[in-house]
Amino acid sequence: MMETARVWKFGDDVDTDQIIASQYIILPGIEEMAPHAFESLDAGFAAAVQAGDIVLGGENFGCGSSREQAPGVLKALGVRAVVAKSVARIFFRNAINIGLPVILCDGIQDAVQTGDEIELDLAAGRLKAGGREYASTNLPAHMQGILAAGGLVASLNAAGQDAPERAPVPRTKDLPPMTMAEKIIALAAGLPHVKAGEIHTVTLDGMMSNDGTTHMTIDAYNEKLTHPRLAAPEKMVFIIDHNSPADTPKTAAAHRKMRDFARENSIAFYEGKGVCHQLMVENHVCPGQFIIGADSHTCTYGALGAFGTGVGSTDFLYGMVTGTTWVMVPETLRFHITGTLPPGVYAKDLILTIIGDIGADGANYKVMEFVGPGIAGMSVAERLVLANLAVEAGAKTALMEPDEKVLEYIGARNRAPKALLKSDEGAKVLAQYHYNLADVVPVAARPDHIDDVVPAKTCAGVKIDEAFLGSCSNGRIEELRVAAALLKGRRVHPAVRFIVSPASNEVYAAALAEGLIETLNAAGAMVVNANCSVCWGSCQGVISPGEVLVSTGTRNFKGRAGHPDSKVYLASAATVVASAIKGEIATADML
């Protein structure tokens, strides 16, 4: 049945920070967050939107974080559906899970403007504007079932909160070759074979949630479930790292909620220890595992040969209760890496280069698989940098075959692999890319898009107000060594605030033992506790209107590190440190 709906139109690459800025997502509930929806793009949206309106987007709508608050604030304001040319895979899944329909349609955007009305039939996926009907996609049956039930929590309650029954799959002798991602999913699903496009239920090996969303998950667990229970608390990890230590009474209340729930349910808990993904890699992740994290950069775990993927709070709740999750088997993009990085060039330069080449949606719902002698020659820390930023190209996860370096890394931490897997010869991949590390140069991602990547020297001379070294992307001992070497005998520019946050207390302790912290302090850097810090843009080093930040963080979205009129450049640790010394964007060889 066709109904009429008013349109709110937005452009391409509308990210989760623009839908709901990071400084608001620690608020106690969606109702308090909703008045700030689209604040940086249309300050009047939240007050003027009416129940039944639709949001119309362009390419890559909802890119960025796995924060479920993004579709959540839209639904809370009464938005009936999101229609876009393409949608980032985490936003898409989160919207479906909370019962907010998403329709993919390319063409109607040119026919309407904000305030216009269109006709739509959500059940049939039909859209009309100006008397013309536009082609749109229908959701897979599994997703239609979630929507029909009113969302994942409603379907969970209706099913009695037990893991869904798995249909028996006959075994065959001759199985087609599988990619590494397909093998991990098959192992987690208890199946002999899976292929791209199939939807399967997998048993989780681990679940991680941080203070960005855990308070919402706990509230849903206590208030929305018919019979709350935890399937496998021993597989769960809670980490306070985003606003650490607490910066407001509301943040403190959210943190206390996490502490109490973790203690009452014997859940592994970390506070004041470092950034969530670094702590997971140091203490929990093993090759062959399937892990969900309530943070988009959970793909970091692929550096150890584990399938890590970011989810929203409802997905995480489902995992808590059933010990499982559903997954559509993704296709694989293979990146062949050869050669050796030149002096002054780092893994951050490589992954930013790749994202610049394929685009911020170039790997949407795909696996980025890194292979070749160039990867074999990299340290575990360098591989973590590559895997971490895969989500910034829209990837479901990143994967690298675990080798002796990985086994040595986890062995030193008294852990063993679940399975050592790699892609079969002849396994089907969607596309293949080739990079010679010798050709990579220092690069920077310019504001406000992570795929606007240029040689860093192109930005030389841009005055900066702040520099940041840290985050789950960087901030490991290797980056701190680079920083200390460049700062030895030099000073941070007097007009620059240079903030350094080690990725974990383990990294901090190593840097202290090596004298790196003393060197950084002597040069005028501000070394802060191990946490998300400036990258998160909420509790430390927030920048004001017109200020410029150069950062090793994960994102440079509009308003990511403070005011919407500020600017963020992303670069390697060497470029960030050189810029902090010069007072303007510079590469290490320009010192």
Side-chain angles (χ1 to χ4, degrees), residues 163 166 187-189 201-210 229-239 261-262 265-270 280 283-286 288-294 298 301 316 318-325 418:
R166 302 181 187 180
L187 181 63
T201 297
V202 298
T203 298
L204 295 168
D205 296 298
M207 294 166 268
M208 184 281 299
S209 189
N210 59 45
R229 66 178 179 85
L230 298 179
E234 71 280 2
K235 295 182 180 180
M236 296 171 57
V237 181
F238 282 1
I239 299 173
F261 192 89
N265 294 283
S266 301
I267 296 169
F269 179 75
Y270 298 83
M280 287 294 290
N283 299 289
H284 296 281
V285 178
C286 295
Q289 292 182 325
F290 192 107
I291 302 172
I292 60 170
T298 304
Y301 312 159
F316 193 85
Y318 189 92
M320 287 169 58
V321 171
T322 69
T324 68
T325 192
K418 175 185 177 182

Side-chain angles (χ1 to χ4, degrees), residues 449-465:
H449 302 286
I450 197 167
D451 55 0
D452 183 9
V453 177
V454 296
K457 289 185 177 178
T458 301
C459 307
V462 173
K463 299 293 183 183
I464 67 168
D465 301 281

